[in-house]
Amino acid sequence: QVRLVESGGGLVQPGGSLRLSCAASGSIFSISAMGWYRQAPGKQRELVATITNRGSTNYADSVKGRFTISRDNSRNTVYLQMNSLKPEDTAVYYCNADADSRGWGRVRDYWGQGTQVTVSS
């Protein structure tokens, strides 16, 4: 099994910054992609950013220019640098990974437990 452990969430003022971290551990043969999703109060869960192990990235329009996703493949860790935070960014942020755990060519979808990000003055 693959376990995703998130950290870095918390309370920040508008215009501030936070960096989220998600480390994958357990039985891991390979990880093809990792990403971040979020669910704000009264809204559906949405994609924030994804990154493949080749470094290709995708961002939601709402965070382009403010958020940056990166990863350390050797440590199976993905980061989300969040700058110029807005109250609208308040949400539970979930880490996601597409991983082959056993090395048998079967890629599964794994999720973290979520971490709260609150942007408020």
Side-chain angles (χ1 to χ4, degrees):
Q1 298 293 322
V2 176
R3 181 188 180 195
L4 302 179
V5 180
E6 301 160 326
S7 62
L11 175 65
V12 65
Q13 296 184 14
S17 299
L18 283 174
R19 189 178 79 154
L20 304 183
S21 177
C22 174
S25 62
S27 180
I28 302 173
F29 181 78
S30 65
I31 297 177
S32 59
M34 300 185 76
W36 293 93
Y37 294 72
R38 69 185 182 186
Q39 186 166 20
K43 296 184 178 180
Q44 298 180 352
R45 184 176 298 188
E46 64 177 352
L47 182 148
V48 178
T50 60
I51 186 168
T52 70
N53 278 357
R54 292 189 60 186
S56 298
T57 59
N58 285 296
Y59 295 91
D61 289 340
S62 60
V63 306
K64 285 183 178 178
R66 300 188 297 119
F67 291 8
T68 302
I69 189 169
S70 61
R71 82 281 184 270
D72 184 341
N73 289 341
S74 66
R75 299 179 180 180
N76 294 319
T77 301
V78 65
Y79 306 92
L80 185 67
Q81 179 66 47
M82 304 184 293
N83 299 326
S84 302
L85 283 163
K86 305 175 181 179
E88 304 90 90
D89 295 317
T90 296
V92 177
Y93 284 70
Y94 297 91
C95 179
N96 171 262
D98 295 329
D100 181 353
S101 179
R102 304 172 70 179
W104 293 355
R106 183 177 180 181
V107 177
R108 294 181 175 180
D109 198 32
Y110 297 88
W111 291 89
Q113 75 286 349
T115 184
Q116 178 70 46
V117 172
T118 302
V119 184
S120 176
S121 60

